[in-house]
Amino acid sequence: MADVNRGNRPLSPHLTIYKPQLNSITSILVRITGNAMLVSAILVVWWMMAAASGPDYFATIDGLITSFIGDLVMTLSVLGLWYHALGGLRHLIWDTGRGLDVETADRMGWGMIIGSVALTFLTIIAV
């Protein structure tokens, strides 16, 4: 049967009434960091290929990777790696049927954010 009110209803969830939640933002960021790590992997492979190509080309690429911008990109890559790894752990916990209530999911979201920053800091100090 045709719905006569179909044209009068807003789309669900409508963008004007949707409130982003921590769980949705952290989920989106896991996807973004996964794609960003692909770019970081390409940079690392480029650096290794330059090392195999010869000392002049390696010096050029190494200078780029170890510059301020390169250090910033690699630091953000480590942050993305830790964030993505903690997001994977969160999903493993969810796969067991635990932590699916809103309060626990929010705590795990904050744990991902704070944990990834802390682990990035520890990684940078260790290196």
Side-chain angles (χ1 to χ4, degrees):
M1 173 172 267
D3 186 1
V4 294
N5 292 322
R6 185 176 179 102
N8 298 330
R9 295 183 304 184
L11 299 174
S12 177
H14 197 269
L15 294 177
T16 60
I17 62 171
Y18 181 73
K19 179 184 173 196
Q21 301 166 348
L22 180 63
N23 194 31
S24 63
I25 299 299
T26 55
S27 180
I28 291 167
L29 286 175
V30 166
R31 288 164 174 80
I32 290 171
T33 56
N35 289 314
M37 284 189 304
L38 178 62
V39 174
S40 302
I42 290 170
L43 288 175
V44 170
V45 168
W46 185 29
W47 181 71
M48 289 182 186
M49 288 177 61
S53 297
D56 294 333
Y57 187 57
F58 176 72
T60 304
I61 302 307
D62 189 54
L64 177 68
I65 297 282
T66 58
S67 69
F68 174 76
I69 299 294
D71 285 343
L72 181 65
V73 167
M74 289 300 153
T75 301
L76 291 175
S77 298
V78 170
L79 177 65
L81 179 65
W82 281 119
Y83 185 83
H84 196 80
L86 292 176
L89 287 175
R90 179 178 69 165
H91 277 276
L92 284 174
I93 292 168
W94 283 348
D95 287 345
T96 66
R98 296 181 182 98
L100 296 174
D101 59 293
V102 174
E103 182 180 324
T104 306
D106 283 347
R107 276 187 292 182
M108 284 194 290
W110 282 113
M112 285 172 53
I113 295 168
I114 294 167
S116 62
V117 171
L119 288 168
T120 300
F121 183 71
L122 290 172
T123 303
I124 291 171
I125 288 176
V127 175

